[in-house]
Amino acid sequence: MFGKKKTETKRPVGQADIDACLAKAVAQGDMVNLKFAFTPNSPLRDESPEVLDTAKYAYLRPSDADRGGAYDQALALVSRPEIQQHHVTQLKAKRPAQLHADVVMALADNAVRLEKFTVAAQAYEMLRIRERMREEYAAQAEAALDQGDLNTAVRGFRIATGLSYDYAAFPEPMPLVPNYQSRALMLHAIYPKRPEDSIALLPPERQIPAALNYLLLDPELAARLREKPADVLVNFIAEYVRQRDPQWDEFVKRYREACEIVRDIGEKMKGIADQKQEQGAKLREEIALQELGVDPKEVPAKLLGRSIEPGDWWQYLKDLVYQHPASVLFVTRQMVTRDIEIVMPRFYQNAPLGRALGLFD
Amino acid sequence: MTDDGYIDYFATLGLDASANPGEVKNHYRKRMKALVNEIASTALTPAKQEAYLLQIAEMNAAFYILRDEERRQKYESDRAGTIALEEEWRAAVESGSEKSDNLRRQYEGALKHFLAAYMEEYVLEAGRDKECVENSHWDPSHERHASRVLRHHRQRLYQKIHERLPYYEITPPTINWDERARVVASTLAAKG
């Protein structure tokens, strides 16, 4: 009655299954799954109670859609006899596993291809070649830029940026992440007392370097580009913005529509803003606002595609940047009355950057 | 044996390990005065500013630690202990000893402690020391900037040491840089 429960013995995991799971992780640039394969409770270990042939671990096994191309190459790599032998040893050892360098290298290269830059940076860091790989990408990208190949140049600098590390991060250095939401707030933290203080109205010789610093994230890479001719940089930034933000044209459409509203009410709005310091201006502001005929808050609503609570300019910018990282380079904060502050499009005629990005004709 | 990367405060002040407190003081004052004069006559770029800030911070820390017998002994023993642990770990890896993983963990802990204490905590503490403030004109605004610069420098030192250590997470790689350059070129061309 109280006899021992019969336990099923786990069927040993076949080498083909091990290779297939590892190849999938390598092909997909998935460091988490690769490391998991060697943890004590990995289903690939014979002594682990976890069973690979269950729905729970289906994600480790390649599907039909995964096969071909990068997967086949990864499978050929992990099936090499010396690498197979290494994996067998690691899966039997009762200590932290040592990954095979060739496998980590292939995983890193695939991660770059798939634009999983954080994984790629960490894998190259394990191989201790991250800085040199970053330099190699930057050097080839710079050469492409010098030859007028914008597409390759931008892609190269995007990868180089992705492989950069933030050494001032706390408590340990970590891959540089595209923290545009924080950076956008820094750009607009101080209210522009004069219109020309706004990033959107800076002259090209100041706006272009500021845009490079903001977009490239890595000051070393931005400094490397600053020496190039202005027209090259304008085209580079335009291509960079479009590669990073495939929905950019959607923003262009909304920006132009917002400009239309500003064009209609801009002068009247300026009048309200000018008189706001005077005594008794509150009532006049209210009347002037009614006379505008258009609610100024429609401008930011049009720009973002939806409205946001008044006064939350910082939240507005974060939302805008989340959708279109480069958008904050072409807008400015504007007080309409003492209580209403909006974010609106701003540009000056012939501004090369805005024109190259199609924001105006 | 290499002690490269483990900050040597005797070298910072141009002293040997037998220097007495009087010599520490003289060297510190002389060097700090020269540095302050050099800074006063130099056009400062952001990069130079950071480099000078680091130099001042290191000299202050060297003086603050080496002039006090207790701090000096602790610094010397922490430094020697960390270097010895590195050696021990290396030897264990070379001999394939089972202890190597434990030694690595011990060493990692000791290294992080050493760099955090002597490249950040004591350095900031030195910046509030009356004598250091008098000689280096260090003030709270320096400290605000220095925190970031020091952390950056500390991480760089860690990287520098890390570069020469045995591989433990992965097998030692063989890197063919011509092949790497071709991989980079093909990755860039793939989306062209």
Side-chain angles (χ1 to χ4, degrees):
Chain A
M1 172 180 181
F2 295 107
K4 274 188 181 174
K5 188 183 170 189
K6 195 178 174 186
T7 52
E8 278 183 34
T9 312
K10 182 181 159 184
R11 188 168 59 86
V13 185
Q15 188 61 47
D17 284 339
I18 295 174
D19 289 349
C21 292
L22 297 179
K24 182 180 175 183
V26 171
Q28 296 191 341
D30 194 331
M31 182 60 88
V32 173
N33 281 1
L34 184 69
K35 283 188 169 176
F36 173 67
F38 295 97
T39 53
N41 56 349
S42 157
L44 300 188
R45 281 185 187 266
D46 285 340
E47 75 272 24
S48 154
E50 300 294 317
V51 181
L52 181 63
D53 292 326
T54 55
K56 182 180 172 188
Y57 291 117
Y59 73 95
L60 289 176
R61 294 194 302 262
S63 65
D64 288 343
D66 294 327
R67 295 178 198 277
Y71 173 79
D72 288 351
Q73 284 179 17
L75 188 61
L77 175 71
V78 297
S79 304
R80 267 171 28 198
E82 76 278 15
I83 294 183
Q84 266 183 347
Q85 185 51 48
H86 178 80
H87 287 154
V88 169
T89 311
Q90 299 305 313
L91 286 170
K92 282 185 180 156
K94 291 181 168 46
R95 54 167 171 69
Q98 199 178 33
L99 302 175
H100 197 285
D102 290 356
V103 172
V104 174
M105 184 79 85
L107 184 145
D109 292 342
N110 281 324
V112 169
R113 184 177 52 81
L114 297 167
E115 305 205 350
K116 295 179 175 180
F117 296 135
T118 307
V119 177
Q122 285 170 334
Y124 285 138
E125 187 70 17
M126 283 167 86
L127 292 155
R128 299 180 192 169
I129 59 167
R130 183 190 51 78
E131 288 215 16
R132 194 147 167 205
M133 285 301 288
R134 170 180 165 274
E135 174 53 33
E136 188 66 45
Y137 273 107
Q140 290 201 22
E142 200 175 347
L145 186 63
D146 292 341
Q147 288 163 14
D149 182 355
L150 271 180
N151 190 300
T152 303
V154 166
R155 180 157 162 77
F157 273 102
R158 282 183 56 226
I159 295 172
T161 300
L163 296 180
S164 296
Y165 252 39
D166 179 4
Y167 281 99
F170 181 81
E172 302 212 326
M174 57 184 284
L176 200 62
V177 289
N179 55 343
Y180 290 119
Q181 288 194 324
S182 311
R183 299 167 79 89
L185 294 190
M186 286 184 228
L187 281 183
H188 291 275
I190 299 171
Y191 183 82
K193 286 188 179 154
R194 299 171 305 161
E196 56 270 33
D197 292 336
S198 157
I199 178 114
L201 294 181
L202 288 179
E205 63 274 17
R206 287 180 60 204
Q207 194 189 38
I208 292 169
L212 274 177
N213 273 342
Y214 169 76
L215 290 168
L216 259 73
L217 307 163
D218 182 334
E220 269 179 53
L221 293 175
R224 197 171 175 150
L225 280 170
R226 274 202 294 270
E227 306 303 317
K228 308 285 175 199
D231 58 328
V232 172
L233 290 183
V234 167
N235 292 333
F236 175 87
I237 292 172
E239 177 66 21
Y240 193 94
V241 169
R242 289 181 189 281
Q243 274 196 24
R244 215 176 228 297
D245 178 7
Q247 306 298 316
W248 177 255
D249 287 339
E250 181 59 32
F251 175 71
V252 170
K253 186 170 155 265
R254 293 206 300 261
Y255 188 89
R256 284 174 173 249
E257 285 169 2
C259 284
E260 287 296 318
I261 305 176
V262 174
R263 206 163 287 138
D264 290 345
I265 62 169
E267 278 308 307
K268 292 182 205 163
M269 215 162 62
K270 191 170 175 293
I272 303 172
D274 287 347
Q275 60 172 305
K276 69 184 176 197
Q277 297 302 325
E278 295 170 18
Q279 258 191 344
K282 178 83 179 162
L283 185 60
R284 280 206 300 279
E285 277 177 8
E286 292 292 331
I287 295 167
L289 267 178
Q290 283 171 15
E291 285 176 351
L292 271 182
V294 179
D295 185 348
K297 283 180 270 182
E298 277 187 27
V299 177
K302 182 66 78 181
L303 207 53
L304 183 60
R306 62 185 166 81
S307 60
I308 193 162
E309 286 301 303
D312 287 349
W313 64 267
W314 53 274
Q315 185 60 51
Y316 178 88
L317 284 177
K318 285 178 102 168
D319 286 16
L320 192 61
V321 157
Y322 179 74
Q323 291 183 12
H324 307 289
S327 58
V328 290
L329 297 170
F330 307 101
V331 298
T332 187
R333 287 168 59 193
Q334 176 66 56
M335 293 297 296
V336 181
T337 69
R338 271 168 295 192
D339 304 324
I340 302 175
E341 179 175 8
I342 62 169
V343 173
M344 59 183 262
R346 216 56 201 269
F347 62 85
Y348 57 90
Q349 215 57 41
N350 300 323
L353 215 47
R355 185 178 295 277
L357 279 160
L359 292 171
F360 46 85
D361 300 319
Chain B
M1 188 191 103
T2 174
D3 62 357
D4 195 16
Y6 302 102
I7 181 107
D8 180 353
Y9 281 130
F10 289 101
T12 304
L13 295 182
L15 293 163
D16 58 49
S18 60
N20 61 40
E23 286 171 310
V24 170
K25 194 168 189 166
N26 282 341
H27 273 247
Y28 166 72
R29 284 189 169 176
K30 209 181 284 178
R31 289 197 165 210
M32 186 57 84
K33 194 174 176 185
L35 182 61
V36 169
N37 287 338
E38 184 188 320
I39 295 170
S41 59
T42 306
L44 288 179
T45 60
K48 273 188 184 168
Q49 200 179 342
E50 289 199 356
Y52 280 135
L53 206 56
L54 191 60
Q55 258 180 288
I56 295 175
E58 284 186 348
M59 279 167 65
N60 278 344
F63 175 55
Y64 182 70
I65 291 167
L66 300 184
R67 74 165 191 228
D68 179 274
E69 194 53 36
E70 200 180 320
R71 279 196 289 264
R72 176 173 171 162
Q73 274 180 13
K74 183 153 183 359
Y75 160 70
E76 285 177 323
S77 98
D78 282 354
R79 186 170 186 275
T82 311
I83 294 172
L85 258 176
E86 182 189 332
E87 290 304 305
E88 209 180 332
W89 173 37
R90 281 175 177 282
V93 171
E94 275 168 30
S95 66
S97 163
E98 285 185 359
K99 284 185 191 166
S100 69
D101 201 51
N102 273 341
L103 283 168
R104 176 182 66 77
R105 285 169 208 268
Q106 277 181 44
Y107 169 69
E108 286 265 328
L111 176 62
K112 281 184 181 168
H113 162 76
F114 179 80
L115 293 177
Y118 297 104
M119 264 328 298
E120 207 164 345
E121 290 159 23
Y122 275 118
V123 180
L124 293 175
E125 212 172 295
R128 292 173 217 131
D129 177 75
K130 196 179 161 205
E131 217 170 337
C132 290
V133 170
E134 264 174 27
N135 285 285
S136 64
H137 310 290
W138 189 266
D139 66 24
S141 71
H142 288 98
E143 183 169 326
R144 279 198 299 279
H145 284 286
S147 299
R148 186 181 55 81
V149 175
L150 287 173
R151 186 174 309 141
H152 197 131
H153 183 60
R154 187 184 87 178
Q155 311 282 30
R156 289 263 179 212
L157 283 180
Y158 179 79
Q159 288 295 116
K160 187 178 173 182
I161 294 168
H162 196 251
E163 292 282 310
R164 63 166 187 259
L165 297 177
Y167 287 88
Y168 55 92
E169 285 177 298
I170 58 168
T171 56
T174 312
I175 312 289
N176 176 345
W177 282 106
D178 289 335
E179 184 261 347
R180 289 283 88 206
R182 283 195 296 276
V183 168
V184 169
S186 72
T187 306
L188 292 181
K191 290 247 175 161

